[in-house]
Every structure is written in structure tokens, then in C-alpha cells.
Amino acid sequence: MSPAHASASTSRREQILKEAARLFAERGFHGVGVDEIGAAVGISGPGLYRHFAGKDAMLAELLVGISERLLDGGRMRIAEGGESPEAVLDALLDGHIDFALDDRPLITVHDRELDRLREADRKRVRQLQRQYVELWVDVVRKVHPGASETQSRAAVHAVFGLLNSTPHLGRPGALPGRTEMAELLHRLALGAFRAVAAEPAAGA
Amino acid sequence: MSPAHASASTSRREQILKEAARLFAERGFHGVGVDEIGAAVGISGPGLYRHFAGKDAMLAELLVGISERLLDGGRMRIAEGGESPEAVLDALLDGHIDFALDDRPLITVHDRELDRLREADRKRVRQLQRQYVELWVDVVRKVHPGASETQSRAAVHAVFGLLNSTPHLGRPGALPGRTEMAELLHRLALGAFRAVAAEPAAGA
DNA sequence: CTTTCAGGTTAACGAGCACTAACCCGGCTG
DNA sequence: CAGCCGGGTTAGTGCTCGTTAACCTGAAAG
């Protein structure tokens, strides 16, 4: 229970979580075995049970952790409050983009394996997600007062899809580098939001 | 081998594929057993092996089928050729949006379970996807000549993420209805594309 | 020096699952 | 009527995988 012990054990836990996230993202929750996760951190198989109650617990901690980090980050950026709603939206975008570009495996697992959770954990994750979305909806509606709440919420979901699309990209260098990509995503998202309340000009 | 036999058998196959897609989307490829798929079409378990070589074969046929349908649809809309590149892009968008809204399970499975395929099938699917993307990239670059090819390709990927975001939406009616949603997605996508080559106005 | 204990190890168990084997039946075909 | 055969059925098999059990070790505590 000493601080030293706690931090050492914590780093081990986090190491395991990181590798688990990567493997889950690559092959899916059911597609990776505990032995693989263990091997990825240098111990083998059942050794993991000294740190986690089970495979499910790892996934739960991952998903809840991501959701909390996103929500906390969003709240922080809003609290810091830029001069204008536009500035706040920029901050939210940059925060989410950093996350999407730096923690691809987490993003992937986040909206892919939610249903594998126990009822309680899933409910908690969904609640956190919902709060995060509402954060964005409020800001978007300040920037674009013309849009209805329903439209704005759908737009926020869609823009999340846009921002989270990076994991699906092919590995080779056929795509922009990290900073260029961040700028591009930022612009695309703003462009989408700008169109949210525009008159339905396009022919459908 | 008679036509009557073939069409009857085909409808059975398609019924199985449809249910398999739904189940794979809901619980993941590894998360659903052959017994469940069988039960979903009224036969039980191993009866499926009269129609498919195995579970993998079902997934492969699903993914290849989706990719081919998308690509063929895209080629068709381009061949029909609207008067302007803008009209073609509109047609591509409407086609993809229809698909995303009507065949959610397929969309979900499409970018979620690709890695569970045998090497050959995976290669084929990726090739089809790549061709589909290039179709869009060409059109987008005609509409927005200012954008580099790299930027355009990244933007197309991102917009796919935007359009395919619908499966992640909560069930309740907190969201627009089907036609309203289609219009909204169309506008958002055009807004994003419009921003692809704009000067990096936003503060980053 | 002994005791404790965190953090490992290997062996085994039990469940689940894809797939196969063997059998069955009802409707065309000759 | 006989036989083929598409499309089912149930029982069983072998493998994978999560989890538990039992044991080990090295270092800090007393």
C-alpha cells in the first residue's frame, strides 16, 4: 500500500491496458486471448489475474477510462473558455483530434466493443458519452444558432465519425503527416458544422 | 442446376447472409455462433453447411459483396454522368447515404471485421475499397481543383467516416427521421469537402 | 533468520464452438 | 414404384480459451 508499490503496480497495469487496447483494436475483443496480452507485456497468461479480475475487467477499465478522459478534457477546455464560442469549438476540435491521432487503438475499441461490457459498465460508458456529446451540442448551437437541437446532435455524431476515421487509413505514406492531418480534420469538421443549418441547396 | 432451383437456393443464401450481417454487426464476428445464425433463419446449426463452406465463407461473401455493390453503384452514377462534377458528387453522396441508412449492419461489419478474412479475400476487398475511394477522389478534385490529391484522399476517407456514423446512433427518436437525416448528411459532407482546400483559417 | 507477500510460474479443468458424421425425408425423374 | 438428391436433423469430436489451483521466489519487515 506504500506509494512506491502503488505507482510501480500502476505502471504495470497501464502497460497491460495499453497493449490490450492495441490488440483489441487489431483483432477484436474476442479475437485476442489472454495469453497474447500477457506475452505482449512479457509475462504469460494467467499472470494477468494478479492485476485484473478478468479479461472483461480490462475492457471495462479501458472503455470507462477513455470516456472519462474525453469528457474531462472537454469540460476543461470549456471551463478555460475562449473569448468566443468559436474559440471553444476550436479547442474542443483540437483536443479530440489529438486524441484520435495519438490513441488510435483506444478510439477504435471505443466504438467497436461497447456491447461486450456488463450491463452496469455499459450504462456508465454510454452516460459519459452522452454527456460528452451534449457538451459539443451546446457549443455548436452557440456557434450556429440556426440549427435545431436535433440537427446539431446528429451533426456532432457525424463529425465524431469524421474525426475518428483516421484508424481506418492505410498504413503507407499515401496520406498527410500528423500535423497536416490535424489541420485538415479541423477544417473539414468546421466545414461540416458550418453546413449544418444552411438551406438544403443540394439536389436530392 | 435448373433456374428454379438456383433462385430458390439463392434466396435462402441471401436470407442467411442478411441475418448473419445483422448478428455480426450486433455482436461481432467472433461473438456469434453458427447455431445463432441458423436459428435466425429457422434451421439449426450445421444446416448452414449445406449453403456455405463455413462461417468464414459467409463473412467473406458479405464483405466482398458490399464492396462490389458500392463500387458498381459508384461507377454507374459516374457513367450516367451528371452535367457537372457537382451533380456527379451529389449522386455519389446520395448513393452512399442510401446505403449507409438502409444497410447499417453491412456498413458496420464492413469496416469492423475486415481483418478476420483469409489473405486472398482481404486483398480483394481492400482493392475494391481502394478503387471506390479513387472514384470519389477524382470527382472531388474536379469539384475542388485547389486540393492536393493527398488531401482529397484523406478528406474522402474522413467523409466516409462521417456518412457511416449513423450505425452508432442511439435508438430513440432523439434524432432526425430518415429523409431529414439523408439531407443533413448530404449537406455536412458537402460542407466538409468545401473546406478541404480552404486556407487554414482556424487557430490551431 | 524468519515471515510475509506481491507477482510470477505451470498444469489442469470446463465451457463453448466450428465443423463432421451419420442418418432421414419428401419431392422430382425415369 | 424405385432411386436420386437437396436440404434438413441430432450426436459427437477436437480445439481453443478463460479461469482456477497449487506452487515458487526474491525482497522488504520485524
Side-chain angles (χ1 to χ4, degrees), chain B residues 12 43-44 50-51:
Chain B
R12 187 55 150 205
I43 73 182
S44 244
R50 299 287 166 192
H51 302 277

Side-chain angles (χ1 to χ4, degrees), chain B residues 137-161:
Chain B
V137 169
D138 288 346
V139 177
V140 167
R141 293 204 69 194
K142 274 182 196 137
V143 177
H144 300 284
S148 77
E149 186 178 334
T150 309
Q151 282 177 323
S152 301
R153 183 153 32 235
V156 167
H157 271 113
V159 167
F160 283 173

